[in-house]
Every structure is written in C-alpha cells, then in structure tokens.
Amino acid sequence: MCAHVLVAEDDEMQAELIRRSLLAEGHTATVVHDGRAALDAAHRLRPDLVVLDLMLPVIDGFGVCRVLRRDDDIPVLMLTARTAEDDVLLGLELGADDYMTKPYSPRELMARIRTVLRRSGRAVADRRDDAVVRAGGVTVDPVRHEVRCDSEPVECTPAEFEILLAMAAEPERVFSRRQLLEVTRGTDRASTERAVDVHVMNLRRKIEADPRRPARLLTVFGVGYKLSGAGG
C-alpha cells in the first residue's frame, strides 16, 4: 500500500519524524508548516491523505479541515495536543476521518494512516511510481534509494540523498541550514550546519553542469538553499 501524504505540522522536528516514518513505509510525503500552505499544497498535489495538526499558524487545523471538506474529499487524520472532548468532536464533525492525541508513537500513527487509507480506497498496492519525486531534471526514488540527473545515475552519500529527497519533494521551497541539518540527523548525527554547506557543494558537483554557476541547487543568501523546479 503506497500513497502520497501531505503532512501539515508546525513543529519541524515532529514533521520530519512523520515524514521519515512515511518514507520507511514506502509512502511519499510533502511537509508544510502552516494552514495556508496546507490548503495550497492539498489543492495543487491532490494527496491521498492529509495528516493535519490542529494548532497550525495562519489558518488552524479546524479551518483547513473545513475548507478541504467543502472543496474536496481528501481523507484527513487530525493530530491534536488538546484532549478536550469538544475539540475532538468538532474535528470529527468537520469531516476528519480519524484523530490522534499527542504524544503518540510513530508506530501507532502509521497504523492509523494505514487504516484511513484502506477505508478510503485511496492507496494502491505497490504503487512505486508515486514514490518518485522530480524537480529540475533531478529524480529521487526513496523506495529504490536512487538518484538520477537528466536520466544519468548519481551516487550520493546517505546525507546527500536525504537532503536531495527533501528538496526535490518541495521544489522552490527555501530550506535553512538548520532544517537541512535536521533532515540528515538519521544518517549523519555528527553533522553541523557548516557540514550542510559541504553536502550542498558535493551535490552541486554531481548534479550541476557548472558547480560554480549552479542552475538547480541554488543559494538564497541569508536564508539557505532551494532546489529549482526549472533547473537544468
């Protein structure tokens, strides 16, 4: 069972934990950190499921769920730190398919996700093509753990792979060094923010025609890096 899941969670470390758990299950994931971005991504990407934190900035989870139910039939699994029965009932009344209260175990969350996907009929068994992300001539396959640039295979270290996967899943999004450092925590725990610069430099050598004048993996001065969807 493979699906594309939109994760709307403003806690970046929690969002990354969910993303990694989804990838380990063979799913793909897009992560956003506020309610407006969640609605934009849902309408643009048409995910199979939205994992939706209630306490989002800009538009809270209740507002996001209300709009999704008005405009679409995408299944929603709500996450809430609130335990008040009225909050849970309101979420379900707005159309959430299920909910989980924090804290929760990743294993339990994945089990709930499998149940919602199975009930909705959205997921397709072994739909491996959906696991592939593409941006600017770069293709990253988290199931096969393969990277290609303009159809040519690219050898990446585990940390480089995780950085490229995160950026290819959200082309044009600017990632700070701290965010990219968190992405590599599972593969490179001794890394520092300065080490992220080294990973990016090495990736440019592998995916850029001219690493000194990158067209794909771009620096956003004072902020971080982004992968251009039009690069190459």
Side-chain angles (χ1 to χ4, degrees):
M1 182 183 294
C2 182
H4 183 74
V5 180
L6 173 62
V7 179
E9 167 64 76
D10 65 331
D11 184 320
E12 295 186 6
M13 293 186 67
Q14 190 68 32
E16 178 60 16
L17 177 62
I18 297 171
R19 186 189 74 85
R20 287 176 179 272
S21 297
L22 287 165
L23 295 183
E25 294 257 330
H27 303 302
T28 56
T30 297
V31 176
V32 297
H33 301 295
D34 66 70
R36 171 55 59 194
L39 288 174
D40 290 344
H43 293 149
R44 176 169 49 89
L45 300 174
R46 304 279 301 171
D48 298 301
L49 171 69
V50 179
V51 176
L52 179 65
D53 181 38
L54 284 182
M55 301 299 290
L56 291 174
V58 186
I59 302 174
D60 68 15
F62 292 124
V64 172
C65 191
R66 186 178 291 110
V67 174
L68 288 177
R69 278 295 162 266
R70 184 189 68 203
D71 298 342
D72 215 323
D73 62 348
I74 300 170
V76 174
L77 172 60
M78 279 190 165
L79 304 177
T80 177
R82 302 172 174 179
T83 56
E85 185 180 18
D86 287 348
D87 289 334
V88 172
L89 291 177
L90 177 57
L92 296 175
E93 287 171 3
L94 288 173
D97 295 83
D98 200 354
Y99 72 93
M100 289 194 68
T101 55
K102 299 179 180 180
Y104 53 81
S105 72
R107 178 180 293 182
E108 183 183 2
L109 177 60
M110 291 305 108
R112 294 286 190 95
I113 286 173
R114 284 193 297 270
T115 298
V116 173
L117 289 170
R118 189 162 49 245
R119 274 201 317 244
S120 68
R122 287 266 183 159
V124 177
D126 200 29
R127 196 175 59 195
R128 290 182 178 265
D129 286 345
D130 284 356
V132 176
V133 291
R134 299 179 177 87
V138 176
T139 301
V140 186
D141 186 337
V143 175
R144 298 179 177 87
H145 211 273
E146 294 176 350
V147 175
R148 290 183 174 271
C149 183
D150 297 330
S151 300
E152 294 296 320
V154 176
E155 293 295 327
C156 292
T157 67
E160 291 167 2
F161 184 89
E162 291 294 340
I163 288 173
L164 204 54
L165 177 60
M167 299 182 85
E170 298 183 72
E172 306 297 340
R173 174 187 167 185
V174 181
F175 289 81
S176 69
R177 289 178 177 83
R178 172 59 58 181
Q179 288 169 329
L180 292 176
L181 179 61
E182 292 299 332
V183 164
T184 69
R185 282 302 192 195
T187 57
D188 193 4
R189 291 186 179 276
S191 188
T192 65
E193 288 189 39
R194 294 302 300 169
V196 170
D197 295 333
V198 176
H199 293 317
V200 169
M201 180 178 64
N202 290 337
L203 280 168
R204 282 174 171 162
R205 292 190 182 118
K206 297 174 181 183
I207 68 172
E208 299 284 2
D210 183 352
R212 293 170 299 178
R213 297 179 177 83
R216 292 184 168 103
L217 188 43
L218 306 178
T219 299
V220 180
F221 291 101
V223 184
Y225 300 102
K226 71 175 182 178
L227 187 66
S228 173

